[in-house]
Amino acid sequence: MKRNTWQREAVRTALSDTVGFVSVQGLHTRLHATGSPIGLATVYRALADLAGEGEADCLQSPDGESLYRACSTTEHHHHLICRHCGLTVEIEADAVETWAKNVAAEHGFTQAAHVVDVFGLCAACTAASAAVIA
């Protein structure tokens, strides 16, 4: 575990205060808006460290950008993520776990790992988009 610097704590706090996933640049912008002098490279390193230690989730957006969010559990889990507002719900996916284990075994793989995140529109964004169309 790395030592806890003021920069790392600032990134951890800003990430905890963020709803849903955020890009490194987005978090850096939020930090600067609060007057923090923290550099972009420091935000990159801190987020990578937090993700590596299980304190943050990291995923690739549909556009290929790395996104981060404060992790509420260190256990393996999956997410439902709203493409519009970023609302994120941690979910269990027993069927996915069974499928991944079986497919790996069928092909002679061991120590297999997977990432499954589901992107869509949350109920509020679906309702809002339906109201605009109507």
Side-chain angles (χ1 to χ4, degrees), residues 23-120:
S23 68
V24 175
Q25 293 84 357
L27 194 63
H28 180 253
T29 299
R30 290 179 189 179
L31 284 161
H32 270 252
T34 64
S36 175
I38 194 168
L40 182 60
T42 302
V43 175
Y44 269 104
R45 281 191 304 275
L47 286 172
D49 290 344
L50 291 171
E53 294 167 4
E55 290 188 55
D57 287 323
C58 178
L59 62 82
Q60 296 290 334
S61 75
D63 299 328
E65 183 176 24
S66 291
L67 302 175
Y68 297 86
R69 84 184 268 276
C71 193
S72 62
T73 179
T74 58
E75 301 296 318
H76 178 74
H77 58 279
H78 304 280
H79 306 100
L80 291 172
I81 305 159
C82 181
R83 284 190 303 263
H84 183 73
C85 72
L87 173 69
T88 301
V89 178
E90 291 185 359
I91 59 170
E92 291 186 27
D94 294 336
V96 170
E97 301 303 327
T98 300
W99 172 82
K101 181 180 175 183
N102 291 341
V103 167
E106 286 173 19
H107 295 279
F109 280 66
T110 62
Q111 301 179 18
H114 63 275
V115 176
V116 176
D117 294 308
V118 180
F119 292 84

Side-chain angles (χ1 to χ4, degrees), residues 2-18:
K2 297 204 175 216
R3 68 186 180 97
N4 200 26
T5 63
W6 72 265
Q7 295 97 330
R8 183 180 166 101
E9 189 56 35
V11 169
R12 182 185 286 119
T13 300
L15 194 61
S16 293
D17 293 343
T18 301

